[in-house]
Amino acid sequence: KDFLSSHFGSFCPFLYLHNNLIALNQTLSISEGANIDTASRFGPLSGQIISNIKDGVRAAVASCPARLVEAFYSCELQCDQQQLGNMYGVLAKRRGRVTEEDIVEGTALFVLGAALPVAESFGFAGELLTRTSGAATAPQLAFSHWEVIDLDPFWRPTTEEEREDLGEEVRESNFARRYIDAVRARKGLATDKRIVVAAEKQRTLARKK
């Protein structure tokens, strides 16, 4: 108890854990004075400690800004000069970035190296060929590295200026939150997405006879 008070007393999650351990200690002190057997007195001890430590660790993790880590593909592309702008548009739409660019000597063919998020790579080849009218070659994808998404998936606007610019919900622009919601929906877990946003604006369609 003294160790927690001196080292973690200023942190709310550990203070919460500290208070729960004090309450647990008082419960055990009362139990020791009663005439009950050892099994019933110390039986729930391990479960109570695990439960309190779990709540304290969860509160400590939730108090820090959350960040996601996403995988990236290294992508090699070839495209004609006339369709180079469309290729850049497809990469920008999927948060890809060009790392190198070169031209094949004696031709109008460009060779590009790019980094593309794995989560944005689904349907990339089809869209690329459609937007470039078949002038681009099929992308060659290989796993490259991991990167931290510098965006809090649980961030919400707090000031008046942020609410005016972004609105109350920033789910559409917060792609990190969209990734979390997509994974939870695919696994059948609950999300906080509202099905009906403005119930008073709903209208009942007349049944045509």
Side-chain angles (χ1 to χ4, degrees):
K1 182 178 70 174
D2 297 335
F3 175 79
L4 288 174
S5 299
S6 59
H7 290 77
F8 304 113
S10 60
F11 296 94
C12 293
F14 293 101
L15 184 60
Y16 170 79
L17 176 61
H18 172 230
N19 294 334
N20 286 342
L21 291 178
I22 291 177
L24 179 60
N25 187 23
Q26 293 175 353
T27 303
L28 292 177
S29 299
I30 296 174
S31 300
E32 288 177 357
N35 294 326
I36 55 178
D37 57 346
T38 305
S40 61
R41 185 170 63 216
F42 297 104
L45 175 61
S46 60
Q48 294 178 26
I49 291 179
I50 292 175
S51 177
N52 284 280
I53 291 178
K54 180 184 68 175
D55 294 340
V57 171
R58 178 176 296 177
V61 172
S63 64
C64 300
R67 294 293 184 270
L68 297 182
V69 180
E70 64 176 346
F72 269 78
Y73 280 139
S74 62
C75 180
E76 183 178 346
L77 302 167
Q78 295 182 7
C79 182
D80 187 77
Q81 183 179 4
Q82 296 179 352
Q83 299 293 336
L84 192 61
N86 293 330
M87 177 180 288
Y88 271 92
V90 175
L91 286 173
K93 177 184 176 182
R94 295 174 176 266
R95 298 193 301 111
R97 61 178 183 271
V98 177
T99 56
E100 56 181 345
E101 179 181 342
D102 196 8
I103 186 172
V104 179
E105 187 175 355
T107 65
L109 189 65
F110 279 80
V111 179
L112 278 71
L116 182 70
V118 174
E120 302 288 347
S121 64
F122 300 100
F124 173 64
E127 183 180 3
L128 183 64
L129 294 176
T130 301
R131 292 287 300 276
T132 59
S133 301
T137 59
Q140 303 295 322
L141 302 177
F143 176 77
S144 176
H145 62 282
W146 296 86
E147 281 190 14
V148 177
I149 301 178
D150 192 15
L151 181 64
D152 189 354
F154 303 106
W155 181 83
R156 293 181 181 275
T158 54
T159 63
E160 291 295 335
E161 295 180 356
E162 291 175 348
R163 291 193 181 97
E164 291 179 359
D165 295 339
L166 303 175
E168 294 294 336
E169 294 289 338
V170 292
R171 188 183 302 273
E172 296 300 327
S173 59
N174 193 335
F175 56 87
R177 185 55 184 269
R178 291 204 309 268
Y179 290 163
I180 293 178
D181 291 342
V183 172
R184 293 184 65 87
R186 186 169 65 247
K187 293 185 176 182
L189 301 176
T191 61
D192 59 352
K193 185 177 181 180
R194 292 180 295 179
I195 300 177
V196 178
V197 178
E200 66 276 4
K201 295 183 180 180
Q202 305 296 320
R203 63 191 181 93
T204 303
L205 298 178
R207 180 180 298 178
K208 296 182 179 180
K209 297 182 180 180

